[in-house]
Amino acid sequence: MQEEVDIVRISDEQIKILRNVLGERIYFLYSDKLQVEHLEKGYVFWANGFAIALSTINQPPGKFRTYINISADYRTCPKDASTYYEFDVNVSGAPLWQEGALQFGKLSSLKVFSDPILMIEIYQNCNKAGEKGRLHDCAMVLYSQRRKYLLQARQELVGGINIMLDEAFIESQIRPLKLRYTLV
């Protein structure tokens, strides 16, 4: 079990990037093609990846918004060729590595206008006894004063992310998962 955790642990560099979200206000969740799906308990927004547009209170003059790009790609573990999902997180001056995409209207956006983000939790799948496969970082919950946002790997789509906004739906999704990191 320990070996699996070591193999798929989210990197320290990505944790540093996510720390930049704390205390910031999220204005938009950008994607190249945002889609909506109705599930039993609520609606899910999903796309190949999302960029979170942040606005800083002490933004230097002439500096544009910062973008934290998040996707959830699968990886293959060389030891037994099983696959697992993990977040890929980076920071950029443009959403989803597409310079100029905003000017040409190529991106969809989900307007959030949230309170500052107070806490981020990162969850992983839990293997049941005797089950093969790998643990993976597959869900991230962002907490503001008034609401929660869940970003979760969409396992049917390489790089795909689901976003859930309904609190009861979020709780049902994270209940079977194992909390790995809490950033405050």
Side-chain angles (χ1 to χ4, degrees):
M1 188 67 122
Q2 183 62 40
E3 181 183 17
E4 290 177 334
V5 172
D6 290 344
I7 290 171
V8 300
R9 192 175 60 105
I10 191 166
S11 74
D12 292 338
E13 187 60 38
Q14 291 182 19
I15 293 294
K16 285 180 193 170
I17 291 170
L18 288 173
R19 284 192 187 282
N20 293 332
V21 177
L22 296 173
E24 300 293 345
R25 185 180 303 276
I26 296 175
Y27 272 79
F28 293 95
L29 295 165
Y30 285 107
S31 71
D32 53 354
K33 188 178 179 187
L34 183 64
Q35 299 184 51
V36 182
E37 180 180 353
H38 178 68
L39 299 177
E40 287 178 21
K41 297 182 180 181
Y43 290 92
V44 170
F45 298 91
W46 66 273
N48 292 340
F50 281 91
I52 301 174
L54 304 174
S55 176
T56 60
I57 295 167
N58 302 317
Q59 191 113 334
K63 186 172 181 338
F64 296 107
R65 285 189 179 130
T66 300
Y67 297 93
I68 307 291
N69 296 304
I70 300 174
S71 64
D73 292 334
Y74 76 86
R75 306 280 188 258
T76 301
C77 178
K79 292 197 175 190
D80 59 6
S82 64
T83 58
Y84 59 91
Y85 288 78
E86 67 180 5
F87 285 118
D88 184 22
V89 180
N90 68 55
V91 65
S92 173
L96 303 173
W97 315 279
Q98 296 180 19
E99 298 291 337
L102 284 175
Q103 290 83 350
F104 299 111
K106 292 181 181 176
L107 294 177
S108 304
S109 64
L110 183 60
K111 292 181 184 177
V112 177
F113 299 108
S114 75
D115 295 328
I117 297 301
L118 304 175
M119 181 171 74
I120 300 172
E121 292 177 337
I122 299 171
Y123 290 85
Q124 70 182 23
N125 247 1
C126 292
N127 285 358
K128 295 183 175 72
E131 191 176 54
K132 286 194 174 187
R134 298 285 169 189
L135 300 175
H136 56 273
D137 295 313
C138 63
M140 187 183 306
V141 182
L142 289 80
Y143 292 84
S144 73
Q145 226 167 11
R146 289 186 239 183
R147 69 182 315 168
K148 297 178 190 176
Y149 307 92
L150 172 66
L151 284 67
Q152 187 173 33
R154 188 175 183 89
Q155 295 183 18
E156 318 83 59
L157 179 68
V158 174
I161 300 256
N162 290 333
I163 289 190
M164 295 164 207
L165 305 175
D166 178 71
E167 269 197 53
F169 194 21
I170 290 171
E171 288 302 318
S172 73
Q173 293 298 104
I174 63 173
R175 191 172 296 119
L177 303 177
K178 177 181 175 185
L179 179 61
R180 177 175 285 179
Y181 287 103
T182 301
L183 302 172
V184 286

